[in-house]
Amino acid sequence: MQPMLRVFGAALASSALVLGSSSLAFAAPEERQEPEYKVGAIDWKPCAEVPTIDCGFLELPVDYAKPNGEKFQLAVSRRKANDQANKIGAMVINPGGPGGSGVNFSFGADRYFSKEIVDKFDVIGFDPRGVARTSPIKCSADLLAKSPSDYPKTAAEFDKLVAFNKELRADCRQQTGAIFDHASTAEVAQDIDSIRRALGEKKINYYGVSYGTIMGQHYAERFGRNIRAMIIDSNMDHSLGTWKFVETEARGAEDVFNEWVKWSDRDASSPFHGKDLRKIWKDLLAKADRGEIKDNGRVVTAEELGGSVVGMAYGPAWKQFADFIAQLIAGNPVPAKLAAETRPNPFPGIFCNDYNLRVSSWGEYQALNAMENRVAPNTRGSSLGHGATMGCVGFPKATNPQRPLKIAKGSPKILMTNAKHDPATVYEWAVNAHRQSREATVFVTYEGWGHGVYDRSECTLKINNEYLVGLKLPRSGTSCAAVEPAPETSIQSAEPQIAGPF
């Protein structure tokens, strides 16, 4: 797949985080009313970064319950269809995150989507509220540099993490202003419909990948009648409680470790081919537990090694990771820094608005951590599931909490896709989300590896494009065979072209 956006997790050191907690309690989708406000026009101008694409801002209310109150400027981009005479309509896109820039995603749309898609659709990107060009939520870099480990070893360390999260949230909220309290994905779904109205489109098309699937799910719950076609690729499951969220993520992490071992057994290019990689890895984890593994002079923990498996599996970058581990075992200098590969979600506030995952005590944490280690002993749980959950410790209750997916009547059939061996949005999430929306979604499985399905194979590409262009859908339950990933030149180049951990 085409490299596009970022090295996994590196953005944590940035002084700007997408953090927020809304004070608005959201009703069930079917109980909400249309917002009573007039959407203005977008003043399109050539984008500074890519002048062939249009950029602009859409003025919207910070709080939809107060449409005449404070406003913010939503950054929007438009890549006009190459064939305007035969244009089908507008397709809104989001690359995930949380915290990914849809405007940036649109800049590379011609490299991500097939020619027939960019020929026939105006591709519309947007930066969700609190992200990038849209009132970015800011936090103190000095405070972020003091972040404690999210793997506390004692009750005191757990309490220190709780105190830090509370301090960080207060800092971000104070620096950012009103948008901080209104940055949930439920509100983003309303923003998407505001974009539709500003474009003058009766119906829109939508492609969301990873965390962008929650935006799509929320939009379909409330505005399903306004959809022509929707693809939600690599799905979140917005119904899981804390225990199930961490457990399913851990199971996914252990699965991709097992897939890496299977690759090493079948591929002679692996430095561990013909060797007992499971024992080698077990010994490496034991050395890490003793503090004997170093990466560029820094002590590497067993949890970080496990997290590196998850980061590698986005591509996946099997050989590059195997070569990296071989060098690490030998004590030789390595070209990539493990720490940059393994940090958890850098945007916990948005996630903590959408998921009410709260660990309330040291005892509860001990039980949760013991469970994830039992489920995934080779990866010590999942760095993503663990990091996202511990990033919410000490936060107030979520304002857009989990609930079963209930797509609105009048919505067309929605295409839902997922890879069998996805390290982030694990396969069982998509299975469960489809189970909740069986009458409204068509589920297609890519039997292979990695995060993001759209162009993994000729099969997945054909299904996605035929649906977008002609609304042709396969039978639900259709599978596309796995395709062995092409080797990447480095771990970084194998990172996902989508944004954020999810």
Side-chain angles (χ1 to χ4, degrees), residues 17-37:
L17 281 183
V18 183
L19 284 167
S21 180
S22 167
S23 59
L24 178 64
F26 290 95
E30 64 272 19
E31 296 173 353
R32 303 178 196 153
Q33 302 299 313
E34 284 286 339
E36 296 178 359
Y37 65 94

Side-chain angles (χ1 to χ4, degrees), residues 192-213:
I192 293 173
D193 203 61
S194 296
I195 293 172
R196 177 193 64 81
R197 294 164 66 192
L199 294 172
E201 298 283 344
K202 183 178 180 181
K203 294 179 181 289
I204 59 168
N205 306 276
Y206 180 84
Y207 173 83
V209 59
S210 196
Y211 209 79
T213 62

Side-chain angles (χ1 to χ4, degrees), residues 49-336:
E49 301 90 339
V50 185
T52 56
I53 296 176
D54 299 326
C55 282
F57 290 91
L58 178 61
E59 185 175 88
L60 297 173
V62 169
D63 183 351
Y64 278 94
K66 301 176 182 177
N68 296 320
E70 186 172 348
K71 303 296 192 297
F72 76 101
Q73 301 292 319
L74 182 76
V76 187
S77 62
R78 177 180 64 185
R79 182 185 188 92
K80 290 185 177 179
N82 295 332
D83 184 1
Q84 284 288 310
N86 294 297
K87 185 179 77 172
I88 293 173
M91 180 173 70
V92 178
I93 60 173
N94 183 272
S101 166
V103 171
N104 289 350
F105 193 25
S106 72
F107 292 163
D110 60 334
R111 300 188 300 275
Y112 187 90
F113 296 104
S114 299
K115 183 178 183 298
E116 65 179 313
I117 302 304
V118 294
D119 280 351
K120 295 180 181 295
F121 291 92
D122 287 345
V123 178
I124 309 297
F126 74 103
D127 290 348
R129 47 177 67 207
V131 175
R133 304 162 185 81
T134 300
S135 303
I137 294 175
K138 300 175 182 177
C139 309
S140 298
D142 290 344
L143 182 58
L144 287 170
K146 300 175 184 177
S147 175
S149 171
D150 55 10
Y151 289 90
K153 303 301 181 185
T154 65
E157 288 185 2
F158 178 84
D159 292 341
K160 182 179 179 180
L161 178 61
V162 172
F164 173 82
N165 283 352
K166 290 180 177 180
E167 182 182 5
L168 179 63
R169 180 180 181 276
D171 172 83
C172 303
R173 189 171 186 266
Q174 189 275 328
Q175 291 196 45
T176 301
I179 200 74
F180 184 92
D181 285 336
H182 299 277
S184 80
T185 299
E187 288 157 313
V188 171
Q190 292 176 280
D191 294 341
I192 293 173
D193 203 61
S194 296
I195 293 172
R196 177 193 64 81
R197 294 164 66 192
L199 294 172
E201 298 283 344
K202 183 178 180 181
K203 294 179 181 289
I204 59 168
N205 306 276
Y206 180 84
Y207 173 83
V209 59
S210 196
Y211 209 79
T213 62
I214 285 192
M215 297 177 192
Q217 291 169 12
H218 279 32
Y219 189 81
E221 284 184 317
R222 178 164 184 177
F223 301 106
R225 65 190 178 281
N226 297 339
I227 299 169
R228 174 189 171 270
M230 174 177 284
I231 297 174
I232 41 180
D233 179 342
S234 306
N235 282 261
M236 302 292 293
D237 180 358
H238 194 231
S239 71
L240 300 176
T242 303
W243 194 272
K244 274 297 181 183
F245 180 87
V246 174
E247 180 184 7
T248 51
E249 282 286 83
R251 196 151 44 237
E254 188 74 4
D255 172 70
V256 295
F257 171 81
N258 290 332
E259 290 301 306
W260 178 55
V261 172
K262 291 176 185 177
W263 166 82
S264 182
D265 288 343
R266 69 176 179 264
D267 195 316
S269 71
S270 170
F272 304 109
H273 183 68
K275 301 178 181 179
D276 188 349
L277 180 52
R278 292 184 183 277
K279 183 179 186 305
I280 292 170
W281 184 260
K282 183 178 180 180
D283 291 344
L284 185 65
L285 291 179
K287 291 181 67 176
D289 283 333
R290 297 192 298 269
E292 299 173 6
I293 303 296
K294 293 186 177 181
D295 172 33
N296 292 287
R298 188 185 62 83
V299 174
V300 176
T301 68
E303 289 82 8
E304 286 178 312
L305 286 172
S308 70
V309 174
V310 174
M312 167 275 296
Y314 272 68
W318 283 323
K319 176 169 171 51
Q320 292 70 34
F321 183 67
D323 290 342
F324 175 83
I325 294 299
Q327 293 298 311
L328 196 66
I329 291 172
N332 297 330
V334 289

Side-chain angles (χ1 to χ4, degrees), residues 41-45 55-58:
I42 302 171
D43 183 18
W44 296 112
K45 296 178 181 178
C55 282
F57 290 91
L58 178 61

